[in-house]
Amino acid sequence: MSTLAIEGMQWGDEGKGKITDLYAMKADIVVRSQGGNNAGHSIQHNGVRYALRLLPSGILNEHVVNVLADGMVINPTCLLEELDNLNNKGITKYNLVISSRATILLPYHIEIDKAREEALKGNKIGTTKNGIGPCYEDKAARLSIRMGDLLDLESLKNRLEAIVPIKNLQLQAFGGKPVDIDEIFDLLKDVAIKLKDRIIDTTVFLRKAYKENKKILFEGAQGAMLCLNYGTFPYVTSSSPLVTAIPNNTGLPLTAVNQVLGIMKAYSTRVGEGPFPSEIDGDIAHRIREKGHEYGTVTKRPRRVGWLDIPQLKYVKEISGITSIAIMLLDVLSAVEEIKIVTKYYVDGKEIDYVPSTVFELSKVKVETITLPSWKEDISNCKSFEELPINCQKYIETIEKLLECSIDIISVSPEKDATIIRKELF
Ligand code: IMP
């Protein structure tokens, strides 16, 4: 199979970075297709840790072409900082192309994001405050600047003159300072000088690569439950992390996504507000949070913790067409004596066989769980499924049965090679 798409099956932070990094080494092309610097993961390469927010994971491999595709929102200051960080660590040769259709995220998007969260008071979404929502709104309103606009400075100026007065009305409504067209133009002129050679029509590039049977890895960002359409609206991001959005965000046909690898943690976490049916608190949650270092990579917020939630995962498996699963952070569960798995949802005392589409109904969900014994052994050196403690094997087999999907990859510690691969995918 020449393409592989990766999707986070929960609320983000599933450990996608490690698996993406593993497959990025085997790919010709690594594509990020949606979201922006609300994402964040660190990867280990030749003993050095790199924090990536916008750049695809293939960036550390010289032979890989990395694509920031059409559906992305790109904060150019953040992108240039990431590239500088790479340079400072001695990575000077990389292959990066940026879609001329990708949307530019500007400082006023960040201001509006922050002001709006404040204005929502008790109803805030808990965004990463990186301006993602306001930037996608401008795209839908056709009031945004795209990467391709940097290729012609005169028309960029005209575009800013049309857009900025409208943005200023919005900023002033929130009590913010109006922005100056010249200031933004100067910022973008500088970005244009630094990035213009990388801005191309990435759909032409990707379609050609696909026809030539190149190995393409579609890197996931965020998680399915944060999808604007199918997540826990309004506590979601402003794009779709589902693999089904990839064709529309890259210009490739539906058939280009021929294998879908879902990534899930051995338990659940979520940052930000919103319903979370399998949530737990107290000492058990604390032990999992500490052992799993469950604090936001981008915001450093402590993550909310819950048990693995089968109805939620089944829903995501079905809407995304997941064909294979990787389970991450399995070693963390040795922090507790007993592990629970949510197997059923009830609303008003009645069992339901779907994930409610409204926050109103979802917040009424009561869960039924099963309990399995944990293990105390250190699993980080296990090289095969058979080497795992019996209780650990039983946990995996139980999930496979409940989800009706095979778990082909098992991550037993943060290290890159501490991964049991039961089936080669790419
Ligand atoms: P936004 O994407 O910054 O607008 O944030 C909307 C919601 O998505 C918030 O609950 C964020 O915490 C969450 N979110 C966005 N990106 C990520 C991610 O990469 N990992 C986990 N949560 C995320």
Side-chain angles (χ1 to χ4, degrees), residues 7 20 25 56 76 81 104 127 155 164 179 225 271 274 298 372 387 406:
E7 177 179 307
T20 307
M25 295 191 306
E81 260 171 38
I104 298 182
T127 73
S155 61
V164 170
V179 290
M225 295 306 285
V271 240
V298 176
L372 279 83
E387 280 179 43
S406 60

Side-chain angles (χ1 to χ4, degrees), residues 11-13 38-39 125-128 132 222 226 236-237 271-272 301:
W11 282 271
D13 312 311
N38 46 350
I125 291 159
T127 73
T128 60
I132 306 296
Q222 292 88 39
L226 293 171
V236 292
T237 192
V271 240
R301 289 178 287 182

Side-chain angles (χ1 to χ4, degrees), residues 319-338:
I319 58 174
S320 307
I322 283 165
T323 48
S324 183
I325 291 178
I327 189 165
M328 314 302 290
L329 291 116
L330 190 59
D331 49 311
V332 172
L333 289 180
S334 66
V336 295
E337 284 74 39
E338 283 185 333

Side-chain angles (χ1 to χ4, degrees), residues 11-14 16 32 35-41 113 117 125-134 136 221-223 225-226 234-239 269-274 296-299 301 303-304:
W11 282 271
D13 312 311
E14 296 91 350
K16 294 178 294 292
R32 231 193 104 182
N37 62 321
N38 46 350
H41 64 259
D113 198 357
E117 280 287 271
I125 291 159
T127 73
T128 60
K129 297 189 179 147
N130 283 304
I132 306 296
Y136 274 118
Q222 292 88 39
M225 295 306 285
L226 293 171
Y235 303 103
V236 292
T237 192
S238 297
S239 55
T269 60
R270 115 166 261 181
V271 240
E273 311 302 316
T297 331
V298 176
T299 57
R301 289 178 287 182
R303 294 182 185 136
R304 297 158 67 192

Side-chain angles (χ1 to χ4, degrees), residues 220-244:
Q222 292 88 39
M225 295 306 285
L226 293 171
C227 172
L228 182 59
N229 285 327
Y230 299 102
T232 53
F233 188 91
Y235 303 103
V236 292
T237 192
S238 297
S239 55
S240 176
L242 301 186
V243 290
T244 48

